[in-house]
Amino acid sequence: MNETMTGADMVVRALQDQGVEHIFGYPGGAVLPIYDALFHQEKVRHVLVRHEQGAVHSAEGYARSSGKVGCVLVTSGPGATNAVTGLTDALMDSVPLVCITGQVPTHLIGSDAFQECDTVGITRHCTKHNYLVKRIEDLPRVLHEAFYVATHGRPGPVVVDIPKDIQFASGTYERPRDNQHKTYRPRVKGDLESIRAAVKLMGEAKRPVFYTGGGVVNSGPEASILLRELVRLTGFPITSTLMGLGAYPASDKQFLGMLGMHGTYEANLAMNECDVMICVGARFDDRITGRLDAFAPHSRKIHIDIDPSSINKNVKVDVPIIGDCAHVLEDMVRLWRSSAPPLDTAALTEWWTSIEGWRGRNCLAYRNSKDIIKPQYALQRLEALTRGRDVYFTTEVGQHQMWAAQFLKFEEPNHWMTSGGLGTMGYGLPAAIGVQMAHPKALVIDVAGEASILMNMQEMSTAMQYRLPVKIFILNNQYMGMVRQWQELLHGGRYSESYSEALPDFVKLAEAYGGVGIRCDRPEELDAKIEEMISVDRPVIFDCRVDPAENCFPMIPSGKAHNEMLLGDAEADVDIGAVIDEAGKMLV
């Protein structure tokens, strides 16, 4: 049925027709007609953030934890430019977003009008696609098309820039019967001959490993189910990138933990020594591959990815398969069952013996203390005391993020939200707000550093306004920890501007916002205070004072290979000078 309405009403109607329940935003002059239209309806709930970057990160957390599209509404000029960091973050991590931005009236575009910027030009390289709508007749189609583009193929953010006069103009609204883009039709079914070649190669493997990434999570719950089935059918070991954690259960004996720069010894050596690598929904980024000419030098590689541009982009592969992970894995499971390839069981037994030897190194071991809280211990206790609950974790970026990836154990997808590709400090708190909005009865915890959390601390106001009981678990080491670690290992211990001076009293800060503040600096008090944090039905800032000198190991120095890892030593006193010397030689 066709209806006549204003452009602003079209925006709200399109959101309703797409099933949108929440939109994160901040009002301004160029979007006031849309805010007025929101005022007159109750289906779409607006969440008022305190900064536009926070709006996009909140929408990211909402999308990644729920599987829905995250939606954002911001004004022109600084409203749009403030959103750019979040949009870039979403592009790097393949998060489906629709961001609606206001724009000055069409006749003022290009005149340097008040709060005008070239939003389309600025966001062209940090979005999957963007639109400037100059005709009211195009608005309904563009709005619905934006949701299609954001969610089909490799997910990503889409910007729809709407001038103010288009919001006031009247036109005919009709929901398109077919939302598909005329030319954008991404392939979801993999080529069957390529899949057969992959299954044949897997059947010949003597030292195989599954290397999985965020694409498995993005593909939906069916992909994770099929991945688990295939891994258990083959009996092969499996590792995961930072973004793929939870797609395969961490407790399973075939799981080797996270790989990459701060991955486990066994995962990285398995990648280095494998002869067949099955890459599922990962993109061979530099934090995983290390030095490219030394990356898995003895392996033949299978790569499953929905984005054709990712194939052979960083690493040349032997069997490329373009398609959605769930569809390809379904075919692989079927073909594996029907062909029942004769595996070299003796070689596979020897391979697992090697892996168990590497695993026996216990690379995540650390020297605990009765006098000071070690960050690893804090996360182990947080993991133990939240196990079995409906819990979601977000993080900021830094050492705490890597420790969280190492010590928190994820059994299901969509419960781990972190900034991977862009590494955005300030991501965690607004993302936690989005997660909590999507899952109001769940326990949502942002693992933070005392430096990162200050990047978007203003979003505590949003948490308070909407009574969202998010928990901010700060590993406070009084340094920009990852910066300090690199300065120690590479720059002779010259801690240039990495010490966190003039920190607020986080307990008083929480109370100033109307939340609850908890401080802990003694290991024996940790469990009781974590339980207190969990029990509080309000936003909490937990100031956990940890060892400021602790470094995050294992560590592959930038540009080095998987077998050139630096390991901590929990069994004996560490000769830190020798460690620094070794790191310096590797990093030069």
Side-chain angles (χ1 to χ4, degrees), residues 5 109 165 255 267 270 317 340 464:
M5 61 182 70
I109 292 176
D165 58 323
F255 186 63
V317 299
M464 290 302 305

Side-chain angles (χ1 to χ4, degrees), residues 131-191:
Y131 302 85
L132 172 60
V133 183
K134 291 186 174 181
R135 300 187 332 133
I136 188 68
E137 294 83 1
D138 296 330
L139 185 57
R141 173 187 60 81
V142 167
L143 289 165
H144 290 289
E145 200 174 270
F147 281 85
Y148 174 85
V149 173
T151 55
H152 287 71
R154 180 178 176 177
V158 177
V159 163
V160 181
D161 197 32
I162 310 175
K164 194 168 184 178
D165 58 323
I166 302 301
Q167 297 172 41
F168 278 124
S170 293
T172 301
Y173 176 85
E174 179 182 11
R175 179 175 182 176
R177 295 177 182 176
D178 182 3
N179 294 337
Q180 292 188 19
H181 196 280
K182 291 181 180 179
T183 57
Y184 181 59
R185 302 288 179 91
R187 185 194 304 179
V188 294
K189 293 285 289 183
D191 176 70

Side-chain angles (χ1 to χ4, degrees), residues 56-57 60 64 83-99 122-130 149-150 152-159 184 218 243 283 305 307 309-310 313 418-424 427:
V56 186
H57 293 327
E60 286 187 274
R64 288 169 64 174
V84 164
T85 298
L87 292 171
T88 310
D89 190 272
L91 182 69
M92 294 284 281
D93 289 344
S94 305
V95 182
L97 300 182
V98 171
C99 178
I122 290 169
T123 63
R124 180 168 288 121
H125 299 291
C126 65
T127 56
K128 186 177 178 182
H129 195 55
N130 60 16
V149 173
H152 287 71
R154 180 178 176 177
V158 177
V159 163
Y184 181 59
N218 291 340
M243 301 305 296
R283 57 187 177 88
D305 204 297
D307 183 2
S309 72
S310 291
K313 182 177 183 178
T418 193
S419 175
L422 193 61
T424 308
Y427 169 89

Side-chain angles (χ1 to χ4, degrees), residues 152-278:
H152 287 71
R154 180 178 176 177
V158 177
V159 163
V160 181
D161 197 32
I162 310 175
K164 194 168 184 178
D165 58 323
I166 302 301
Q167 297 172 41
F168 278 124
S170 293
T172 301
Y173 176 85
E174 179 182 11
R175 179 175 182 176
R177 295 177 182 176
D178 182 3
N179 294 337
Q180 292 188 19
H181 196 280
K182 291 181 180 179
T183 57
Y184 181 59
R185 302 288 179 91
R187 185 194 304 179
V188 294
K189 293 285 289 183
D191 176 70
L192 204 55
E193 289 307 309
S194 296
I195 297 173
R196 285 197 179 96
V199 169
K200 181 176 182 295
L201 184 57
M202 290 163 60
E204 297 168 354
K206 299 180 187 299
R207 301 185 308 278
V209 66
F210 280 94
Y211 153 43
T212 59
V216 181
V217 179
N218 291 340
S219 183
E222 185 66 23
S224 294
I225 294 169
L226 289 163
L227 175 67
R228 295 168 190 219
E229 183 176 2
L230 182 61
V231 171
R232 287 162 181 162
L233 279 172
T234 61
F236 295 172
I238 177 173
T239 181
S240 170
T241 67
L242 177 73
M243 301 305 296
L245 295 175
Y248 193 86
S251 61
D252 191 271
K253 64 182 180 180
Q254 289 174 245
F255 186 63
L256 307 184
M258 182 179 72
L259 80 156
M261 181 171 280
H262 291 286
T264 66
Y265 188 65
E266 54 268 29
N268 283 327
L269 286 191
M271 288 286 282
N272 188 71
E273 299 297 326
C274 71
D275 70 340
V276 172
M277 179 189 301
I278 309 104

Side-chain angles (χ1 to χ4, degrees), residues 12 15 23 33-42 44 46 73:
V12 174
L15 294 173
I23 186 167
I34 299 174
Y35 272 88
D36 193 54
L38 284 169
F39 183 83
H40 290 94
Q41 58 82 54
E42 295 181 350
V44 180
H46 181 273
L73 176 60

Side-chain angles (χ1 to χ4, degrees), residues 291-307:
R291 197 173 86 238
L292 282 173
D293 63 359
F295 173 66
H298 314 295
S299 71
R300 290 175 291 175
K301 300 173 182 69
I302 300 162
H303 187 189
I304 302 167
D305 204 297
I306 198 166
D307 183 2

